[in-house]
Amino acid sequence: MSTENIASQLEKLSINPPAKVEGSFPDVNVVDLMRNYIAEELNKISGVDTSLIFPALEWTNTLERGDLLIPIPRLRIKGANPKDLATEWAEKFPCGEYLSKVEANGPFLQFFFNPNFLFKVVVPDVLTREADYGSCKLVENKKVIVEFSSPNIAKPFHAGHLRSTIIGGFISNLYEKLGWDVIRMNYLGDWGKQFGLLAIGFERYGSEEKLAEDPIHHLFEVYVRINKDIEEEGDSLPLEESTNGKAREYFKRMEDGDPEALKIWKRFRDLSIEKYIATYARLNIKYDVYSGESQVSRESMNKALEMFKEKGLTHEDRGAILIDLTKFNKKLGKTIVQKSDGTTLYLTRDVGAAMDRYEKYHFDKMIYVIASQQDLHTAQFFEILKQMGFDWAKTLQHINFGMVQGMSTRKGTVVFLDNILEETKEKMHEVMKTNEAKYAQIENPEEVADLVGISAVMIQDMQSKRINNYEFKWERMLSFEGDTGPYLQYAHSRLRSVARNASEITPDMWVKADFSLLTEPAAQLLVRIVAQYPDVLRNAIKTHEPTTVVTYLFKLTHQVSSCYDVLWVAGQTKEVATARLALYASARQVLNNGMRLLGLTPVDRM
């Protein structure tokens, strides 16, 4: 990791940095440096405290309106017309090294960063910090658990799990980049009567060979067949002879800790996890913990039930135990925590699991990435922990998301994640083969097709706000036109190619380039966008929206694309070529960092 930062760049240029406002990180985020400068100077002109000015500085929706703006009414100055103040302050504002101009626009004051300053400070910062550009220690020694994906063993890994996996992977990466110690946790659906069914089904229909080859698909086949048996039997058999009865009896043996029953269950679980690990690796996700419903101890659940009672939360109704949450929040209704036959429910297990986790990890925050259909369940669960008196209950956060519609394979069958990834890979491979000359240069076309295909799936998912439902569309997803995953991959490989074609200009020359040669508006616009990246991450951690980063990367790649028409490298003097290459290299580094943050692997040729 490079020890270079913005402060050391300023020192080389003999520029004195402004005073640091609390909560700003000017050493690693040039937009914070600018905020500090603007706050300091505006305080001198207006007399308004810097602690009010700093948070009032906002992004603009287009760079024509500046890089930052301040709505004057937010400064709460009594008895003055905001428009008049904007005009007066714009005239008095000293641009110094940092700004190119300050403009009044109605009640707004708009600040334009000086591109020459950005070229000299930001481009070397990106090129020296490389993969660290954008990262920042927002916190010290804080631990977050992110629970995401959480499929059910022996059932298809469906679209909802895919969304949870992609969003959870991004959130984990983001927290890590911003200084948190992250524990990635997969809470599997690995307990319950369905395992009794599976065990009985495997005795009837299982194949050791198929189980070893593809456990997830084979267990699903067995599960479907055994459910069919139950359907066909109806009520024709006495309970103890029926498939349903046998499954219940088997699960009871598991609950009672029968070693033989648990041995088969453990095998199914272990083989499934092994297969999951390989699939997750394709999505660049590696879990620290594979937990699951089975890991919640009987003691924790009994302790939870006792605490419900002690706190006076429960009442009995026809043998079942309920908690009435309407006393705390009318919308939360009543919920069952123990059935009349004494078995616990999902909710009790979730409470037990949270207690176990706090005991073990002493987290500072725990995030659950769960579909919005579970909003009520999650709200009930958080409220119960709060009413149990756990102080850490307020550190829990539910990050929800909408549904994926129309997600079936092109062959129209039931969807396992593997099928989808295989199909996108095949389709991408077909597209790549259409350009024979380029295809011949790719060393590992299968692998590249897989990486581009995965980008297609993931970017389609992350493109709009996570709460929105979206329709899974093969044609749209696999297109190289418009804003898609393959387009980002293409933009990255093209930037790689620009550097390859000028290999006589080496990376150590880029940093020392003469940036005063970059005078074109296209270059100035590009460096202003590159400068925003650390701030984009700061914004993304407030909203937990992958789309914040995705939208930014498309803005960056569109601008790079516009630069190709005017900022040629070939046929230029060495000095001009070096300065332009340095700018392209910094844009490529930011694109690479952003793609990896989203969980993609950027390709170098395609």
Side-chain angles (χ1 to χ4, degrees):
M1 184 175 160
S2 165
T3 51
E4 288 273 330
N5 57 25
I6 292 174
S8 48
Q9 306 290 354
L10 293 180
E11 212 172 296
K12 285 178 200 165
L13 298 167
S14 312
I15 296 174
N16 286 328
K20 186 178 158 187
V21 173
E22 199 185 335
S24 71
F25 297 85
D27 277 356
V28 290
N29 180 352
V30 79
V31 182
D32 266 359
L33 176 74
M34 299 297 196
R35 286 190 182 99
N36 288 340
Y37 175 72
I38 293 165
E40 191 174 271
E41 295 303 327
L42 196 55
N43 158 262
K44 292 176 193 167
I45 295 169
S46 67
V48 175
D49 201 273
T50 51
S51 63
L52 266 180
I53 299 168
F54 186 91
L57 284 160
E58 298 172 4
W59 287 1
T60 60
N61 45 12
T62 67
L63 288 175
E64 284 90 75
R65 296 192 63 197
D67 297 87
L68 285 172
L69 60 75
I70 197 161
I72 306 288
R74 272 196 65 182
L75 302 178
R76 303 196 285 272
I77 295 171
K78 292 191 172 70
N81 180 333
K83 284 183 184 174
D84 297 342
L85 287 178
T87 310
E88 181 196 325
W89 293 349
E91 281 165 14
K92 289 181 180 170
F93 208 97
C95 289
E97 301 275 357
Y98 298 101
L99 304 174
S100 58
K101 59 179 175 175
V102 179
E103 287 181 349
N105 180 356
F108 298 97
L109 202 52
Q110 296 172 171
F111 302 92
F112 293 77
F113 297 171
N114 179 354
N116 298 330
F117 174 80
L118 297 180
F119 286 132
K120 286 185 276 191
V121 172
V122 175
V123 176
D125 188 39
V126 179
L127 296 176
T128 49
R129 290 182 64 221
E130 296 179 330
D132 282 324
Y133 180 68
S135 61
C136 174
K137 264 191 123 32
L138 290 187
V139 296
E140 293 287 338
N141 305 322
K142 289 213 182 256
K143 188 180 289 177
V144 61
I145 294 178
V146 185
E147 181 202 292
F148 62 107
S149 195
S150 309
N152 297 310
I153 286 178
K155 291 184 182 173
F157 188 112
H158 62 66
H161 298 130
L162 176 65
R163 290 214 80 185
S164 173
T165 306
I166 290 173
I167 295 165
F170 162 73
I171 284 165
S172 305
N173 296 343
L174 181 65
Y175 270 78
E176 222 158 43
K177 278 282 174 208
L178 296 177
W180 288 75
D181 173 15
V182 177
I183 295 164
R184 294 165 171 82
M185 184 179 281
N186 202 338
Y187 184 68
L188 301 169
D190 63 353
W191 197 247
K193 198 189 88 183
Q194 85 245 34
F195 283 93
L197 274 176
L198 265 186
I200 303 295
F202 196 75
E203 278 169 24
R204 282 184 205 173
Y205 304 117
S207 144
E208 283 298 332
E209 202 181 316
K210 282 185 173 176
L211 183 70
E213 199 181 300
D214 193 345
I216 294 173
H217 281 218
H218 184 52
L219 290 175
F220 178 62
E221 282 166 7
V222 167
Y223 190 67
V224 169
R225 285 185 76 173
I226 197 78
N227 273 301
K228 207 166 181 170
D229 288 356
I230 292 176
E231 217 176 290
E232 283 167 8
E233 281 170 19
D235 299 331
S236 63
L237 295 170
L239 186 64
E240 61 278 6
E241 285 173 38
S242 72
T243 303
N244 225 335
K246 286 177 181 165
R248 273 174 192 228
E249 196 268 329
Y250 191 95
F251 181 57
K252 177 130 183 38
R253 281 169 55 203
M254 282 170 59
E255 290 258 66
D256 295 342
D258 173 339
E260 268 313 298
L262 287 172
K263 198 167 133 189
I264 296 176
W265 162 80
K266 189 176 183 315
R267 229 178 121 223
F268 291 166
R269 184 182 192 270
D270 292 351
L271 285 167
S272 297
I273 288 177
E274 217 173 287
K275 184 80 169 99
Y276 282 139
I277 288 173
T279 302
Y280 287 126
R282 286 176 82 176
L283 299 169
N284 286 325
I285 285 167
K286 193 169 178 249
Y287 285 96
D288 301 296
V289 184
Y290 276 88
S291 173
E293 294 176 59
S294 64
Q295 310 297 295
V296 184
S297 63
R298 178 51 61 110
E299 296 82 56
S300 300
M301 288 193 283
N302 288 342
K303 187 179 165 191
L305 288 165
E306 272 167 38
M307 284 183 78
F308 296 161
K309 216 180 201 164
E310 275 168 31
K311 299 276 178 189
L313 296 172
T314 50
H315 65 274
E316 204 174 305
D317 186 4
R318 286 172 293 204
I321 295 177
L322 286 88
I323 294 182
D324 180 2
L325 292 165
T326 53
K327 294 180 267 193
F328 315 112
N329 180 338
K330 283 202 169 53
K331 289 179 188 163
L332 295 182
K334 294 178 181 179
T335 181
I336 300 180
V337 289
Q338 189 177 19
K339 289 188 199 163
S340 53
D341 64 3
T343 54
T344 52
L345 281 105
Y346 207 64
L347 190 66
T348 326
R349 214 180 280 282
D350 277 348
V351 170
M355 286 157 62
D356 284 351
R357 285 178 204 178
Y358 191 74
E359 225 21 56
K360 185 171 179 181
Y361 297 105
H362 295 287
F363 53 79
D364 297 280
K365 182 172 190 170
M366 181 154 61
I367 292 171
Y368 293 84
V369 185
I370 310 175
S372 52
Q373 294 106 299
Q374 299 288 329
D375 282 357
L376 176 64
H377 169 85
T378 314
Q380 288 173 334
F381 157 52
F382 288 3
E383 187 61 46
I384 288 171
L385 285 165
K386 186 174 138 196
Q387 295 306 328
M388 287 168 83
F390 291 118
D391 198 34
W392 48 263
K394 62 176 182 290
T395 71
L396 307 181
Q397 187 171 6
H398 175 200
I399 292 181
N400 59 2
F401 54 85
M403 299 269 294
V404 185
Q405 286 139 346
M407 192 172 189
S408 65
T409 60
R410 287 185 292 172
K411 300 175 187 89
T413 48
V414 100
V415 182
F416 286 86
L417 177 60
D418 271 2
N419 301 72
I420 291 217
L421 298 184
E422 278 309 310
E423 275 193 50
T424 43
K425 174 180 163 179
E426 279 167 34
K427 187 84 174 84
M428 276 303 155
H429 206 169
E430 286 163 27
V431 175
M432 282 159 57
K433 282 178 185 164
T434 56
N435 186 330
E436 283 178 29
K438 272 193 178 171
Y439 188 76
Q441 295 178 330
I442 301 172
E443 277 171 36
N444 40 0
E446 285 265 331
E447 190 188 323
V448 170
D450 192 34
L451 295 174
V452 177
I454 286 166
S455 310
V457 175
M458 290 172 75
I459 292 295
Q460 174 162 285
D461 195 289
M462 294 174 164
Q463 233 167 341
S464 52
K465 285 213 157 77
R466 59 184 156 73
I467 199 62
N468 297 343
N469 299 338
Y470 78 89
E471 195 166 346
F472 187 86
K473 288 191 175 139
W474 283 99
E475 326 61 69
R476 168 91 195 84
M477 182 177 75
L478 300 170
S479 166
F480 283 76
E481 302 296 312
D483 293 347
T484 62
Y487 173 78
L488 286 181
Q489 289 286 20
Y490 171 72
H492 186 269
S493 67
R494 191 170 172 192
L495 280 163
R496 274 285 194 219
S497 149
V498 169
R500 274 198 302 270
N501 293 339
S503 55
E504 70 287 354
I505 300 173
T506 56
D508 53 335
M509 296 176 187
W510 299 344
V511 188
K512 302 183 188 93
D514 176 0
F515 295 113
S516 67
L517 299 170
L518 295 172
T519 54
E520 299 78 3
Q524 296 179 345
L525 206 51
L526 181 56
V527 79
R528 287 166 71 195
I529 295 170
V530 165
Q532 293 171 346
Y533 182 67
D535 220 55
V536 169
L537 303 199
R538 284 276 294 284
N539 208 38
I541 205 167
K542 290 179 194 151
T543 60
H544 297 104
E545 287 286 1
T547 181
T548 306
V549 176
V550 173
T551 307
Y552 167 79
L553 293 182
F554 284 123
K555 184 162 87 172
L556 175 75
T557 46
H558 295 164
Q559 186 52 33
V560 166
S561 197
S562 308
C563 286
Y564 290 140
D565 300 333
V566 281
L567 297 182
W568 300 343
V569 174
Q572 306 301 307
T573 65
K574 192 172 180 185
E575 290 73 20
V576 169
T578 305
R580 290 178 178 180
L581 263 180
L583 178 60
Y584 282 135
S586 68
R588 187 209 61 80
Q589 184 67 60
V590 172
L591 175 57
N592 188 299
N593 292 2
M595 287 172 77
R596 289 185 187 281
L597 183 75
L598 294 168
L600 311 177
T601 302
V603 301
D604 290 344
R605 290 181 191 267
M606 64 182 273

